[in-house]
Amino acid sequence: MKVRLAGEIGATWRRELAAALPEAEWSDDDCDAEVAVVANPPPGALAAMPRLRFVQSLWAGVDRLLADPTLPPGVPVARMVDPVMSLAMAESALWAVLALHRGFFDYQRRQREGVWRQHAQRRADEVNVLILGQGEMGRAVAARLAPLGYRVEGWHRGVDLAPLLAGAEIVINLLPLTPATRGLLDARCFAGLPRGAALVNFGRGAHVVDADLLAALDSGRLRHAVLDVYATEPLPAGHPFWAHPRVTVLPHAAALTDARSASAVAAANLRAWRDGRTPAHGVDRHRGY
Ligand code: GLV
């Protein structure tokens, strides 16, 4: 099996992948590669591989890969689904929900202002959390929030979103980015939330209409946003999110892919492909994830 690594795959990844898949021949040549292992590769990275038969992504989200017009049609693509990554995402979501529910971001702001003031304390079972996306990550987050007492709802395609938004105080976005979900978090969505709701965006930057989010924060419609992903990454210097008092900026770090565990997942999938079995977590290109 001739495997080519495409995109930004650093030395740690190369080492872990080689350890997880010692039988692979690592090819430096586009012409003879049968399998490509990719990490959010730039457009065109797979364009010149005439023998390509299978693509394994090291990223969970494959929106950029699928948007590449040079991705050879008909070649199966599998995305990364790693329980270690889902757990990391759940930890970040727990932190964001606890901080939003208990007002810790407000206390942080007050510290900077030198203000000593307590606010009302609510119970977790009084807080409605809506998770957008019921995939691996969405389910992992729900499984860890529910035991703390939060009232957790989930939304997926095909269900009416409006009544769920109307009851949600904290919205966590974990949707894949597809033509159907791009720009979903816009003024209309924010207007459908109760006043003072909060947003946690751990999906993709392009789910959010930035200007609508800023307007919703400035009007008090939303009280806080925890953002990990942005339309342009790194978040450009001077972007209003950086200094906004009601925005917490993370550098696309809510769930980093763990090279060790993800390499084992990728190796199992490459072996499945080599042995003629169906690799896990194949992407439906039409659906977009
Ligand atoms: C990161 O955002 C990923 O999709 O793996």
Side-chain angles (χ1 to χ4, degrees):
M1 167 167 56
K2 294 204 166 138
V3 186
R4 176 111 166 89
L5 303 179
E8 284 172 32
I9 301 186
T12 307
W13 276 104
R14 288 173 189 269
R15 201 174 48 244
E16 294 295 346
L17 284 164
L21 202 61
E23 71 271 32
E25 278 179 72
W26 301 96
S27 171
D28 282 331
D29 183 357
D30 276 352
C31 291
D32 69 358
E34 301 164 282
V35 174
V37 174
V38 302
N40 203 33
L46 305 180
M49 297 189 189
R51 298 169 66 93
L52 187 65
R53 296 291 172 270
F54 176 51
V55 179
Q56 173 66 52
S57 171
L58 297 177
W59 276 44
V62 287
D63 40 285
R64 188 184 185 194
L65 183 61
L66 297 190
D68 180 352
T70 69
L71 179 69
V75 174
V77 176
R79 62 191 199 88
M80 178 51 59
V81 173
D82 177 1
V84 174
M85 192 184 186
S86 303
L87 179 56
M89 187 61 93
E91 289 166 352
S92 295
L94 283 178
W95 159 77
V97 168
L98 283 165
L100 290 165
H101 152 217
R102 293 291 310 279
F104 295 137
F105 295 122
D106 296 325
Y107 286 135
Q108 217 166 34
R109 225 176 359 253
R110 285 181 198 156
Q111 178 187 349
R112 283 196 288 271
E113 294 160 359
V115 174
W116 177 282
R117 190 166 71 233
Q118 296 169 342
H119 51 230
Q121 182 176 299
R122 296 169 66 214
R123 299 184 340 212
D125 64 7
E126 297 171 319
V127 178
N128 294 331
V129 180
L130 173 62
I131 301 174
L132 305 180
Q134 291 292 280
E136 306 288 332
M137 303 258 183
R139 293 201 306 269
V141 169
R144 282 170 182 79
L145 283 175
L148 295 187
Y150 291 107
R151 295 193 288 209
V152 182
E153 297 264 22
W155 178 78
H156 58 86
R157 263 172 5 129
V159 173
D160 186 5
L161 181 55
L164 293 172
L165 287 178
E169 287 161 73
I170 301 175
V171 177
I172 306 177
N173 177 40
L174 286 163
L175 288 164
L177 181 64
T178 70
T181 63
R182 181 176 290 273
L184 183 78
L185 302 171
D186 63 357
R188 188 164 158 224
C189 164
F190 302 139
L193 288 165
R195 197 172 172 77
L199 173 69
V200 179
N201 188 18
F202 288 169
R204 284 287 184 260
H207 284 127
V208 172
V209 178
D210 287 4
D212 292 1
L213 174 56
L214 288 164
L217 288 163
D218 290 340
S219 71
R221 155 80 31 206
L222 287 184
R223 85 183 143 95
H224 201 91
V226 177
L227 306 177
D228 186 48
V229 285
Y230 311 90
T232 304
E233 295 183 8
L235 183 63
H239 191 288
F241 289 157
W242 276 116
H244 198 290
R246 298 193 172 274
V247 174
T248 298
V249 167
L250 301 176
H252 202 139
L256 301 179
T257 317
D258 179 296
R260 197 156 34 126
S261 61
S263 292
V265 171
N269 242 11
L270 264 58
R271 288 194 185 106
W273 173 81
R274 179 199 62 197
D275 298 344
R277 290 177 282 121
T278 306
H281 307 296
V283 169
D284 178 336
R285 289 211 202 179
H286 181 67
R287 206 173 55 169
Y289 58 96

